[in-house]
């Protein structure tokens, strides 16, 4: 372990600076022991040495003009880095005073830990590595040139809905308050991506960000993100361009999948600075980013913005913790219920049809198989009594073509269809596996051959034909055909296709988060300027639930709790540590020494370019000294178990089949050492089965034929020693990847029994639906007026656009009232939700001559226009306007005095006077007068 400060600098810090592009031998880049002159107080009278008026910074990192950009204060590894904090701060302020220059950025370190302090801007934070010269230059430029975000307008052409503006403003206000972590919880289809693009646009225009990373979890979402940024920020250069693999450093917008970015930051040949980005957006922030991909967020020293559609009461507490929402409250939230209850709605509501087959409900057995199918089984020599499966085993241990065919037929009968009423509208079928998806496709093709195999396509993430222009996903999105996309996980989340009108759950779902993400594929409404022929209108979509998913989540609102799996490398090392401890406890020192050698080899194989490993450098440095291993104690064992074992989660490039085999062998050897006979016997039998599956027809396997045959005998195991297990692990582990290479295929039983519908019904789930009585009344009025138009001269004049007098209007009203006594202006206003409309407006609306908005729609449109015009409103002002809109809709009127009374005093004690300027109040009063007139 490094002891002196000088050793720390030479052996650790100098190398870290070199990795960031700083040549410490070049005095135009770095000056060690940088001389800083300081004033001496006149009150000091004792002898003053020649160094009393000087301070010496361990390192000064210089700009091209020779001015210090940053200082680094170094401490030896045995000291905490924080010991240099105040020292480094003094150096920065004294340099600023001496050179009359910008305040340098401040770093302090003990080699293992590095802290970055952007004085007067942000508190200190731990970082992974040093910035490059370009990074420091960019930091200073942003610091000195950024504009006030509170004065920056939001581009409402990108994101102009009121809740989107509130979300953007909430983030911008907190960034200005020096917050660095944000979480937006917004229902699928409410425009999370557009909100992010508008935030990026505002931050770039205001000079707060130059480079942005947008992280997604799938290639299809990367393509979708690239298209969105191209549409709304066409002049900002993006990465990657089509066909680009290597990262380039001259773009502004970077969109990447988690695995791609992980490979980039681990690439030592083309390193990417941990300070390269000014903002990272994490799309669909969920559990997966805490495991391997959490390394990406640990690596980059930047503002992070997480996005999720998961409802706030379901979000895993780790998500809140990751984005520093310690109280469980996100930076901004807008739910599905809020979106569909808005007037007009921002998202589409849905209906649910539950379809259950006889086999799903009662299982497959002699009792449920029809006589015709039983006769076929007898002719094939199959005993009917031997067939006995539960309904829940379908698509797992048994496949029945008849059940899948029935689901397809029911879908084609019940689905929402295109305007011609023949073909289904755009549909996603959610299947349980690749083979399930292919089977469903074959059934569609065989039942409906007239569509020549173009009606249905299977879209899965590992099929290269899915991606790019003209790929299957592009065809499904932009072409008339295919109408049905059969998906296995790929289309469950993130895909944005507004024309989806049917979702078919052909599999059970146990994750509530995933369930709502899947429903979210259908919630988007159409865009008026992008209508497609196969879907000219959409006010509802249909979910066909074939597996009781809605019933399941009624009974289990949070779904099934997923247990976090321990990665195989972590398990493997954990067993080895357990074996070392056991061997020491029973004085089997030679076994312990041997396992320690193996453990040290495993530790040496940890990926040194991983940020997790770099961050654990201090802990790992303890293991380099032989002294640590010579006298192994329980305290050291606990250190290995609690600190070192978790680091093995970073291993991703290895032969996992070999590792699994070696782990099983090691587990057997531990049971043998511990004299756990039952466990030893069970594990041994499992391992013998694995060994028996090694194919001797493969040359490299055949070389170990003798050992393979011996390892399947009782004598071999009866005389086994620790060396026996080592030999098995060493020689047969690398062959595990050949298992089953020529063995018979095993899988579920496949039948084609005729199935029938056991239950088919519409069920209620989620948001409330429209009142039937009102819709029936409206239908009656509209039918009556359209019928009367054939003979009524006044209605005919209105339809032809001719002017009519007030007396003719009254005459028409009387005629309608005589036809039906309940057709009154008051009832019409209530039915059409417009208390301000006149009788003639209702008639013109019914005849299709004008669009009569509901009063809530009129109010909402007016407020949306006002907010778009004033996109610099802050969050509190937005909240006030939202409340004002709701009050006007509810009361249908408002007075000036109302605005300084409850409920407006909840937002500010002085109501509107405490939030807006006099000129702004005048504008708001004009708005309310127009609406309440």
């Amino acid at each position: 372990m490094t002891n002196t400060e000088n050793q720390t600098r030479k052996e650790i810090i100098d190398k870290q600076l070199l990795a960031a592009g700083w040549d410490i031998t070049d005095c135009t880049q770095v000056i060690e022991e940088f001389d800083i002159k300081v004033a001496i107080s006149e009150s000091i009278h004792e002898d003053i040495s020649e160094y009393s008026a000087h301070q010496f910074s361990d390192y000064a990192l210089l700009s091209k003009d020779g001015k210090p950009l940053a200082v680094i204060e170094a401490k030896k590894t045995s000291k905490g880095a924080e010991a240099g904090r105040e020292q480094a701060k003094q150096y920065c302020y004294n340099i600023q005073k001496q050179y009359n220059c910008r305040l340098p950025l401040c770093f302090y370190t003990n080699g293992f830990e590095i802290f970055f302090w952007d004085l007067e801007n942000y508190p200190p934070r731990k970082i992974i590595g040093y910035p490059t010269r370009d990074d420091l230059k960019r930091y200073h430029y942003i610091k000195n040139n950024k504009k006030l975000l509170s004065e920056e307008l939001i581009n409402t052409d990108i994101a102009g809905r009121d809740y989107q503006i509130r979300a953007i403003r909430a983030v911008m206000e907190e960034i200005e308050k020096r917050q660095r972590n944000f979480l937006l919880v917004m229902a699928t289809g409410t425009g999370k991506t557009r909100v992010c693009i508008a935030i990026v646009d505002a931050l770039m225009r205001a000079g707060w960000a130059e480079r942005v990373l947008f992280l997604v979890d799938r290639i299809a979402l990367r393509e979708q993100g690239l298209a969105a940024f191209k549409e709304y920020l066409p002049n900002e250069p993006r990465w990657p361009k089509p066909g680009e693999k290597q990262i380039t450093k001259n773009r502004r917008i970077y969109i990447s999948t988690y695995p791609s970015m992980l490979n980039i930051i681990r690439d030592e040949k083309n390193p990417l600075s941990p300070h390269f980005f000014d903002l990272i957006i994490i799309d669909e922030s969920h559990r997966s980013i805490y495991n391997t991909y959490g390394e990406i967020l640990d690596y980059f020293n930047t503002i992070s913005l997480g996005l999720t559609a998961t409802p706030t009461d379901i979000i895993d507490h780790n998500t809140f913790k990751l984005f520093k929402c310690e109280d469980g409250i996100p930076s901004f939230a807008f739910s599905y219920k809020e979106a569909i209850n808005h007037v007009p709605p921002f998202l589409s509501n849905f209906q649910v049809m539950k379809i259950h087959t006889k086999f799903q409900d009662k299982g497959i057995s002699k009792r449920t198989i029809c006589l015709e199918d039983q006769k076929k089984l007898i002719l094939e020599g199959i005993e009917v009594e031997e067939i006995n499966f539960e309904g829940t085993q379908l698509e797992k241990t048994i496949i029945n073509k008849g059940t899948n065919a029935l689901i397809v037929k029911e879908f084609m009968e019940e689905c929402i269809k295109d305007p011609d009423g023949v073909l289904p509208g755009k549909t996603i079928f959610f299947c349980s596996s690749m083979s399930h998806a292919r089977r469903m496709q074959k059934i569609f093709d065989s039942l409906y051959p007239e569509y020549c195999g173009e009606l249905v396509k299977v879209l899965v993430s590992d099929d290269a034909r899915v991606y790019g222009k003209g790929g299957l996903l592009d065809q499904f999105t932009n072409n008339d055909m295919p109408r049905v996309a059969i998906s296995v996980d790929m289309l469950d989340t993130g895909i944005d296709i507004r024309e989806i009108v049917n979702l078919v759950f052909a599999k059970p779902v146990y994750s509530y988060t995933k369930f709502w993400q899947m429903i979210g594929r259908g919630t988007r409404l159409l865009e008026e300027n992008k209508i497609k022929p196969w879907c000219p209108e959409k006010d509802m979509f249909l979910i066909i639930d074939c597996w009781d998913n809605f019933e399941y989540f009624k009974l289990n609102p949070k779904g099934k709790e997923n247990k976090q799996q321990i990665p195989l490398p972590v398990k493997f090392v954990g067993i080895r540590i357990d074996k070392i401890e056991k061997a020491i406890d029973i004085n089997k020192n030679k076994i312990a020494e041997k396992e320690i050698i193996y453990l040290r080899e495993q530790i040496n194989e940890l990926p040194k370019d991983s940020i997790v490993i770099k961050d654990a450098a201090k802990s790992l440095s303890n293991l380099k000294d032989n002294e640590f291993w010579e006298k192994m104690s329980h305290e050291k064992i606990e250190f290995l178990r609690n600190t070192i074992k978790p680091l093995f989660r970073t291993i991703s490039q290895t032969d996992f089949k070999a590792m699994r085999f070696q782990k099983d062998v090691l587990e057997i050897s531990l049971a043998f050492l511990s004299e756990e006979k039952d466990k030893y016997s069970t594990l041994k039998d499992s391992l013998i089965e694995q060994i028996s599956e090694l194919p001797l027809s493969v040359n490299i396997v055949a070389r170990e034929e003798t050992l393979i045959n011996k390892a399947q005998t009782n004598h071999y195991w009866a005389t086994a020693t620790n060396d026996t297990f080592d030999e098995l692990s060493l020689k047969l582990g690398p062959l595990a990847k050949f298992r089953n290479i020529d063995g018979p295929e095993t899988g579920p039983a496949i039948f084609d029994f005729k199935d029938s519908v056991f239950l088919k019904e519409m069920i209620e789930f989620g948001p409330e639906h429209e009142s039937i009585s009102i819709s029936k009344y409206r239908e009656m009025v509209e039918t009556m007026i359209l019928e009367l138009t054939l003979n009524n001269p006044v209605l005919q004049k209105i339809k032809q656009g001719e002017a009519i007098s007030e007396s003719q209007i009254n005459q028409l009203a009387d005629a309608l009232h005589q036809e039906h006594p309940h057709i009154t202006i008051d009832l019409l206003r209530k039915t059409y939700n417009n208390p301000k409309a006149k009788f003639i407006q209702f008639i013109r609306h019914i005849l299709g001559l004008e669009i009569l908005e509901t009063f809530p729609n009129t109010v909402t449109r007016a407020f949306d226009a006002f907010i778009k015009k004033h996109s610099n409103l802050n969050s509190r002002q937005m909240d006030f306007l939202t409340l004002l809109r709701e009050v006007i809709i509810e009361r249908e009127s408002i007075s000036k005095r109302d605005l300084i009374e409850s409920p407006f005093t909840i937002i500010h004690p002085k109501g509107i006077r405490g939030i807006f300027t006099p000129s702004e109040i005048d504008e708001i009063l004009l708005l309310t007068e127009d609406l309440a007139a």
Side-chain angles (χ1 to χ4, degrees):
M1 187 172 178
T2 307
N3 290 317
T4 68
E5 183 181 309
N6 189 54
Q7 283 178 301
T8 300
R9 288 170 59 174
K10 296 302 174 193
E11 295 176 19
I12 302 177
I13 300 173
D14 288 2
K15 292 177 182 177
Q16 292 170 339
L17 285 169
L18 185 62
W22 297 96
D23 182 357
I24 62 159
T25 64
D26 183 350
C27 61
T28 66
Q29 293 185 38
V30 184
I31 295 180
E32 295 186 85
E33 304 299 339
F34 184 75
D35 188 2
I36 307 164
K37 293 178 182 176
V38 293
I40 299 175
S41 173
E42 294 179 4
S43 61
I44 298 175
H45 300 294
E46 59 258 30
D47 292 339
I48 299 172
S49 73
E50 61 179 302
Y51 297 110
S52 298
H54 298 264
Q55 291 176 331
F56 296 92
S57 170
D58 291 320
Y59 300 87
L61 307 182
L62 308 179
S63 63
K64 289 182 179 178
D65 63 5
K67 297 281 181 68
L69 291 168
V71 300
I72 303 171
E73 176 57 25
K75 297 297 175 188
K76 60 185 179 180
T77 54
S78 57
K79 270 192 171 185
E82 290 89 345
R85 171 174 166 158
E86 290 304 314
Q87 224 173 324
K89 172 186 165 183
Q90 286 180 22
Y91 295 161
C92 289
Y93 281 111
N94 288 333
I95 286 172
Q96 183 187 36
K97 195 181 294 182
Q98 178 179 341
Y99 290 93
N100 191 28
C101 63
R102 60 199 162 204
L103 183 65
L105 297 168
C106 177
F107 297 86
Y108 49 94
T109 180
N110 65 354
F112 293 133
E113 292 183 319
I114 307 169
F115 288 88
F116 171 32
W117 194 358
D118 187 354
L119 293 161
E120 300 180 358
N121 209 27
Y122 289 103
R125 58 186 176 274
K126 190 177 176 183
I127 58 172
I128 292 299
Y130 293 101
T132 64
R133 180 182 266 180
D134 286 342
D135 290 333
L136 290 178
K137 184 180 174 183
R138 189 178 86 254
Y139 278 153
H140 278 290
Y141 181 83
I142 289 173
K143 189 174 179 179
N144 295 325
N145 293 280
K146 63 189 178 188
K147 296 182 279 186
L148 288 173
L149 290 177
S150 58
E151 296 177 0
E152 194 63 42
L153 296 177
I154 293 165
N155 186 340
T156 54
D157 290 335
I158 300 174
R161 293 175 175 176
D162 65 340
Y163 67 86
Q164 292 173 335
I165 294 171
R166 282 190 284 128
I168 297 162
R169 191 57 68 188
V171 171
M172 288 168 64
E173 285 175 3
E174 291 304 306
I175 288 176
E176 205 155 48
K177 293 176 185 174
R178 304 305 186 261
Q179 293 294 322
R180 296 177 61 82
N181 304 94
F182 306 93
L183 179 64
L184 299 184
V185 181
M186 297 173 67
T188 297
T190 53
K192 293 189 294 294
T193 302
R194 289 173 70 153
V195 165
C196 289
I197 295 172
I199 289 172
V200 169
D201 173 61
L203 292 179
M204 285 184 167
R205 281 188 285 108
W208 282 72
E210 289 188 9
R211 285 194 290 258
V212 173
L213 171 63
F214 191 84
L215 278 174
V216 297
D217 62 0
R218 292 200 305 281
I219 294 172
L221 299 184
R222 185 192 68 188
E223 301 304 313
Q224 195 168 279
L226 283 165
F229 273 94
K230 180 180 179 180
E231 180 177 357
Y232 297 112
L233 295 180
N235 297 321
E236 297 297 351
R238 296 168 300 280
W239 180 89
K241 291 178 180 177
E244 271 189 316
K245 299 292 184 187
Q246 292 294 322
I247 193 164
T248 55
K249 300 180 182 178
N250 60 350
R251 312 287 167 78
R252 300 254 286 171
I253 307 293
Y254 291 76
I255 304 180
S256 172
T257 61
Y258 293 119
S260 294
M261 188 49 60
L262 188 64
N263 289 334
I264 287 168
I265 65 176
R266 286 186 175 183
D267 183 3
E268 291 185 338
K269 294 178 182 176
N270 185 27
L272 191 66
S273 167
H275 303 263
F276 188 75
F277 297 109
D278 302 305
L279 171 69
I280 293 184
I281 299 165
I282 306 99
D283 193 23
E284 295 301 339
S285 303
H286 47 67
R287 197 182 292 268
S288 68
I289 61 176
Y290 315 128
N291 298 326
T292 307
Y293 302 133
E295 187 175 324
I296 299 169
L297 301 187
D298 292 336
Y299 182 80
F300 290 110
N301 171 47
T302 190
I303 296 168
S304 61
L305 171 61
L307 310 176
T308 184
T310 305
T312 52
D313 57 335
I314 303 296
I315 293 175
D316 187 270
H317 69 92
N318 288 325
T319 304
F320 287 121
K321 187 176 178 183
L322 184 72
F323 293 100
K324 307 295 187 291
C325 303
E326 303 295 347
D327 52 4
I329 299 173
S331 309
F332 180 81
F334 190 71
S335 69
Y336 177 64
K337 188 174 181 179
E338 287 176 282
I340 63 160
N341 286 338
H342 186 270
V343 183
F346 289 128
L347 292 179
S348 172
N349 207 336
F350 60 85
Q351 293 178 324
V352 181
M353 174 172 283
K354 173 181 174 180
I355 295 178
H356 226 223
T357 76
K358 177 179 68 177
F359 288 154
Q360 284 179 309
D361 193 76
K362 299 184 180 297
I364 302 178
S365 64
K366 184 177 181 180
R367 187 170 54 87
T368 57
I369 300 170
C370 69
L371 288 175
E372 187 181 340
D373 285 332
Q374 289 189 33
K375 288 176 184 176
K376 289 179 184 176
L377 289 173
I378 293 167
L379 290 173
E380 293 170 10
I382 300 172
E383 292 287 342
V384 181
E385 286 78 5
E386 291 179 0
I387 297 173
N388 189 10
F389 296 95
E390 296 290 332
T392 53
Q393 292 178 277
L394 279 162
E395 291 303 325
K396 294 175 184 174
T397 54
I398 181 171
I399 291 162
N400 185 49
K401 296 178 183 176
T403 302
N404 287 331
L406 181 63
I407 289 172
V408 169
K409 289 175 187 175
E410 287 297 322
F411 158 71
M412 290 296 281
E413 182 181 327
E414 299 293 348
C415 67
I416 294 175
K417 297 179 174 63
D418 65 10
D420 296 331
V422 178
L423 288 174
K426 293 287 182 173
T427 302
I428 299 177
F429 250 77
F430 298 115
C431 288
S432 57
S433 66
M434 174 77 80
S435 56
H436 185 203
R438 296 293 181 201
R439 285 194 296 276
M440 297 301 274
Q441 183 182 35
K442 285 180 182 177
I443 289 168
F444 268 105
D445 290 345
S446 64
L447 290 176
Y448 307 100
E450 62 268 33
Y451 301 115
C452 306
E454 296 299 326
L455 180 66
V456 174
K457 298 291 181 184
V458 173
L459 274 67
V460 288
S461 56
D462 59 357
D463 185 347
R465 296 173 303 165
V466 169
Y467 306 106
K469 192 166 181 61
L472 293 176
L473 181 57
D474 182 57
Q475 291 175 35
F476 180 61
T477 305
N478 298 308
N479 296 356
D480 183 39
M481 290 285 197
R483 291 297 179 87
V484 180
I486 302 180
S487 166
V488 183
D489 293 332
M490 179 183 170
L491 301 182
D492 291 1
T493 62
I495 299 298
D496 176 6
I497 302 170
R498 295 179 179 274
E499 293 75 23
I500 299 281
V501 290
N502 301 296
L503 299 176
V504 180
F505 283 83
K507 68 174 182 179
V509 181
Y510 300 107
S511 164
Y512 189 77
T513 299
K514 189 173 185 180
F515 180 63
W516 272 101
Q517 286 175 332
M518 292 161 83
I519 290 173
R521 297 316 100 219
T523 57
R524 289 176 173 84
L525 292 170
L526 304 179
E527 290 184 304
E528 291 180 5
N529 59 340
K530 296 180 181 178
I531 297 297
K532 294 172 181 173
W534 53 89
C535 188
E537 60 181 13
K538 174 183 175 182
D539 56 7
M540 184 76 66
F541 68 99
L542 175 66
I543 297 175
I544 298 178
D545 183 8
C546 304
W547 280 97
D548 269 346
N549 289 296
F550 283 86
E551 292 296 323
Y552 174 79
F553 288 112
K554 278 182 181 179
L555 297 173
N556 306 280
K558 294 193 178 182
K560 186 188 290 183
E561 194 65 36
N562 288 325
K563 292 181 180 177
Q564 197 145 356
Q565 290 188 329
I566 299 171
L568 177 61
V570 177
K571 283 183 185 176
F572 188 23
V573 166
I575 294 169
R576 177 147 279 142
I577 293 169
D578 291 344
K579 187 175 177 182
I580 292 168
E581 184 177 38
K582 186 66 181 178
I584 291 169
D585 286 347
I586 61 175
N587 295 317
K588 298 281 186 181
N589 294 328
K590 286 194 174 179
I591 291 177
E593 287 168 8
K594 203 169 187 179
E595 294 299 335
I596 284 171
I597 291 170
Y598 292 143
L599 178 59
R600 293 184 75 173
E601 287 174 359
Q602 285 180 278
I603 291 169
N604 287 334
E605 290 169 3
L606 285 167
K608 295 180 175 50
D609 52 354
S610 165
I611 303 316
V612 175
I613 303 307
K614 288 179 180 178
D615 201 32
K618 186 171 184 178
S619 298
L620 288 168
S621 69
N622 295 327
L623 310 184
K624 291 179 181 177
D625 295 336
N626 289 329
E627 188 180 333
F628 176 89
W629 301 98
E630 285 168 2
K631 291 184 179 180
M632 189 59 62
S633 63
H634 283 290
E635 186 180 354
K636 289 179 180 178
I637 292 283
E638 285 306 305
F639 170 76
L640 291 171
R641 189 174 281 129
N642 297 327
T643 304
I644 304 303
K645 184 178 81 169
L647 300 178
F648 281 81
R649 70 186 186 275
T650 59
I651 289 181
S652 57
Q653 305 296 321
T654 191
D655 181 349
F656 282 102
K657 289 185 177 178
M659 183 181 286
R660 187 174 299 280
F661 183 89
Q662 290 164 342
K663 187 269 294 182
D664 291 345
V665 173
L666 188 63
E667 198 168 6
I668 290 173
S669 72
L670 176 56
F672 178 80
L673 191 64
S674 304
E675 297 183 354
E676 296 178 282
K677 293 181 180 178
D678 290 343
K679 185 177 182 180
Y680 175 74
S681 178
T682 303
L683 294 172
K684 176 200 71 175
D685 291 344
S686 174
L687 190 70
I688 289 172
E689 187 177 343
Q690 291 183 49
I691 292 170
S692 71
E693 292 168 351
L694 291 171
L696 296 173
S697 56
V698 176
N699 288 336
I700 192 170
V701 176
R703 292 174 196 165
E704 300 295 341
E705 182 176 2
T706 304
L707 177 58
I708 289 170
N709 290 331
K710 278 170 56 181
Q712 296 179 64
T713 65
N714 289 331
H715 179 264
Y716 181 84
W717 292 97
T719 57
T721 65
N722 198 67
D723 290 339
T724 302
F725 305 125
D726 287 346
E727 182 186 31
L728 277 177
S729 184
L730 180 67
K731 292 184 176 180
L732 301 190
L735 306 181
K737 61 188 172 187
F738 297 108
R739 273 178 63 203
N740 292 329
I741 199 166
D742 62 355
E745 286 191 14
T746 59
I750 300 175
F751 297 102
D752 189 7
F753 301 139
K754 184 179 179 182
D755 202 351
S756 59
V757 174
F758 177 77
L759 178 69
K760 179 162 66 172
E761 62 182 7
M762 301 300 291
I763 63 172
E764 289 187 12
F765 186 92
E768 293 178 3
H769 297 281
E770 184 184 26
S771 167
I772 293 174
S773 59
I774 289 177
S775 62
K776 291 286 186 187
Y777 176 83
R778 185 187 300 174
E779 185 181 329
M780 179 270 293
V781 171
E782 291 176 357
T783 302
M784 185 181 295
I785 288 173
L786 291 173
E787 287 175 355
L788 285 173
T789 305
L790 297 173
N791 301 309
N792 188 291
V794 179
L795 283 172
Q796 289 173 351
K797 287 182 73 174
I798 295 171
K799 190 170 184 179
Q800 290 164 9
E802 297 177 22
I804 58 171
S805 65
E806 191 68 32
S807 63
Q808 287 175 312
I809 293 172
N810 293 333
Q811 180 187 339
L812 177 60
D814 291 340
L816 288 172
H817 189 66
Q818 285 173 8
E819 286 286 332
H820 198 294
H822 292 297
I823 299 181
T824 65
I825 186 66
D826 289 336
L827 273 176
L828 287 171
R829 283 173 172 171
K830 184 177 180 181
T831 302
Y832 288 91
N833 201 1
N834 195 321
K836 308 293 181 183
K838 296 177 181 178
F839 182 78
I840 188 64
Q841 289 179 281
F842 291 116
I843 302 300
R844 290 177 61 79
H845 172 72
I846 292 167
L847 293 175
L849 300 176
E850 72 173 60
I851 295 173
L852 181 63
E853 278 190 320
T854 64
F855 181 66
N857 273 14
T858 302
V859 173
T860 300
R861 188 169 49 79
F863 271 82
D864 286 349
F866 184 87
I867 289 167
K868 271 191 175 184
K869 186 179 175 183
H870 302 81
S871 68
N872 60 334
L873 294 168
N874 61 39
S875 295
R876 184 180 272 193
Q877 290 171 326
M878 291 285 293
D879 289 341
F880 186 94
L881 290 175
T882 300
L883 179 60
L884 178 57
R885 183 193 68 204
E886 290 169 358
V887 169
I888 291 175
I889 290 172
E890 182 184 345
R891 297 181 186 175
E892 299 176 2
S893 64
I894 196 89
S895 69
K896 186 175 181 180
R897 183 169 184 80
D898 290 336
L899 301 178
I900 56 171
E901 294 178 350
S902 180
F904 302 103
T905 49
I906 295 170
I907 295 176
H908 193 282
K910 293 182 179 179
I912 194 170
R913 292 174 183 167
I915 298 171
F916 294 96
T917 64
S919 61
E920 289 171 335
I921 292 172
D922 289 341
E923 283 190 79
I924 292 169
L925 289 174
L926 280 173
L927 173 68
T928 59
E929 285 168 10
D930 289 342
L931 291 171

